[in-house]
Amino acid sequence: MTPRAAVPGFAARAASVGGSPVREILALTARPEVISFAGGLPAPELFDAEGLAAAFRQVLTETPGRALQYSTTEGDPALRAAVADRLTGRGLPTVPDELLVTTGSQQALSLLATALLEPGDVVLVEDPCYLAALQTFAFAGARVVPVPCDEDGVLPEALDALVARERPKLLYLVPNFQNPTGRTLPAERRRAVAGIAARRGLWVVEDDPYGELRYDGEPAPWLTGLPEAADRTVLLGSFSKIMAPGLRLGWLRAPVGLHRACVVVKQAADLHTSTVDQAAAARYLAATDLDAHLDRVRGAYRERRDAMLAGLPGALPGGSRWNRPAGGMFVWASLPAGLDATALLRTAVEHDVAYVPGAPFFAAEPDPATLRLSFTTHTPDEIREGLLRLAKALR
């Protein structure tokens, strides 16, 4: 028999970057009796399934040849026009040629990492940070450095000092209702960040998947719209939270040179995002009052947030702290010193309730006492029951 040689090994990045602990927790809590506050999942009963089904039927009946064919990398012109109109209506003048449709905003982040980052480049992130962004930057071989934060987000003086010392290639931010903390970067800090980017010279990635899920207060200005940062800020958006995540539709808005680079990277990645999904989304936006739909979604999520906030004093141990997010999907909590949210998760799951420990979201030294609680997936009654179970588990 011919001797069999070993196959070559995996790339170092495949061995060095771990899987998502959040995805592993979701698998652990797949039992239907578990009330899970772990996943950042929109409420499925609030999807406009009927409206989306009608949009798919129409494009497949009226223009099947176009809907099922290859398409341009930049994206469906009607969908890009609809996104541009929506951004313009929300205070950010935009034309379709500034936009690239992506397979979810997660792909947009991957395209930017490929277009901008060399191994060893420094990326600055909030502390804690969106977990999948940390994975993306790790796969790019970047050195990720956390920026000190408080309950309102990045501290401008600390950011300025880090940029001067580390000379980063880019800063990644989720300014509105951040994942995992739910916090929102105030307007004055956004202006400070824009000034630092202009003075020091770096790219800013403004990731905004939750911006239309506001329950209290008025929107802060787009970083992208501030004159100091307009030529160096990339805005990422998604239809996952406002229509349905299963569509896997997102977009990026970038200055012309970077836009072109991302188009070339996307050509190499997947040629283009699903033609039929883009066509159906464009038809849906043309035929549906999305703002009216979002009013219903926001009303339901506000009620669920309030139910969680009302129940946390009885659910978490004395001395715990948590915030009150003005929108989005998450409450960020800290248990008393000495308690470990990761160690306590197994006990919680035994009581048929789950959350996400905060430790994996930190780029450097984790805080083991932290946890993220998502309030969007369950009804207020289910939230109240889940918090009763959590109280028993944490005792």
Side-chain angles (χ1 to χ4, degrees), residues 243-261:
M243 285 170 58
L247 291 170
R248 304 310 304 134
L249 288 175
W251 45 265
L252 66 81
R253 179 189 187 275
V256 60
L258 183 54
H259 179 278
R260 178 58 188 165

Side-chain angles (χ1 to χ4, degrees), residues 17 74 90 142 171 175 276 317 336 354 384:
V17 181
E74 290 82 354
R90 294 174 62 204
L171 167 67
V276 65
R384 285 186 277 269

Side-chain angles (χ1 to χ4, degrees), residues 16 41 50 68 70 74 144 188 223 254 299 328 353:
S16 63
L41 306 178
E50 186 175 320
L68 298 174
Y70 285 114
E74 290 82 354
V144 178
E188 63 272 16
L223 269 161
V353 66

Side-chain angles (χ1 to χ4, degrees), residues 55-70:
F56 273 97
R57 283 195 300 271
Q58 287 167 358
V59 298
L60 287 172
T61 300
E62 297 170 10
T63 56
R66 184 177 69 83
L68 298 174
Q69 186 56 278
Y70 285 114

Side-chain angles (χ1 to χ4, degrees), residues 290-361:
L290 182 59
D291 289 325
H293 171 67
L294 281 173
D295 281 343
R296 292 190 292 273
V297 172
R298 284 188 289 255
Y301 287 173
R302 182 186 296 109
E303 187 180 9
R304 296 173 188 203
R305 178 205 60 179
D306 292 348
M308 176 163 282
L309 292 173
L312 283 177
L316 300 184
S320 298
R321 296 176 291 109
W322 56 89
N323 61 349
R324 179 186 175 86
M329 306 176 75
F330 308 111
V331 171
W332 184 248
S334 296
L335 301 176
L339 294 183
D340 187 323
T342 301
L344 291 167
L345 176 61
R346 185 169 297 279
T347 303
V349 173
E350 289 172 355
H351 285 76
D352 293 332
V353 66
Y355 54 82
V356 174
F361 296 96

Side-chain angles (χ1 to χ4, degrees), residues 52-213:
L52 288 168
F56 273 97
R57 283 195 300 271
Q58 287 167 358
V59 298
L60 287 172
T61 300
E62 297 170 10
T63 56
R66 184 177 69 83
L68 298 174
Q69 186 56 278
Y70 285 114
S71 184
T72 59
T73 302
E74 290 82 354
D76 184 296
L79 182 58
R80 284 189 291 142
V83 173
D85 287 346
R86 192 162 187 83
L87 286 173
T88 300
R90 294 174 62 204
L92 182 66
T94 301
V95 296
D97 285 348
E98 294 176 290
L99 299 168
L100 170 63
V101 178
T102 59
T103 306
S105 62
Q106 185 63 37
Q107 187 193 46
L109 191 57
S110 296
L111 299 179
L112 287 168
T114 302
L116 290 175
L117 298 177
E118 302 282 0
D121 281 343
V122 173
V123 173
L124 299 184
V125 300
E126 297 160 293
D127 197 32
C129 177
Y130 171 47
L131 183 58
L134 296 178
Q135 290 179 301
T136 298
F137 299 140
F139 271 119
R143 185 165 67 88
V144 178
V145 178
V147 181
C149 297
D150 64 11
E151 63 275 6
D152 289 325
V154 296
L155 296 166
E157 288 186 7
L159 171 63
D160 195 33
L162 271 177
V163 174
R165 187 180 79 220
E166 300 287 351
R167 302 191 64 81
K169 181 70 71 71
L170 67 84
L171 167 67
Y172 172 77
L173 297 173
V174 184
N176 294 316
F177 323 126
Q178 193 240 15
N179 183 358
T181 65
R183 65 195 174 199
T184 295
L185 193 66
E188 63 272 16
R189 294 200 191 183
R190 298 182 190 219
R191 286 188 283 269
V193 168
I196 292 166
R199 186 173 68 255
R200 300 286 190 185
L202 73 156
W203 290 100
V204 178
V205 177
E206 180 179 14
D207 196 356
D208 190 41
Y210 311 106
E212 295 198 75
L213 299 180

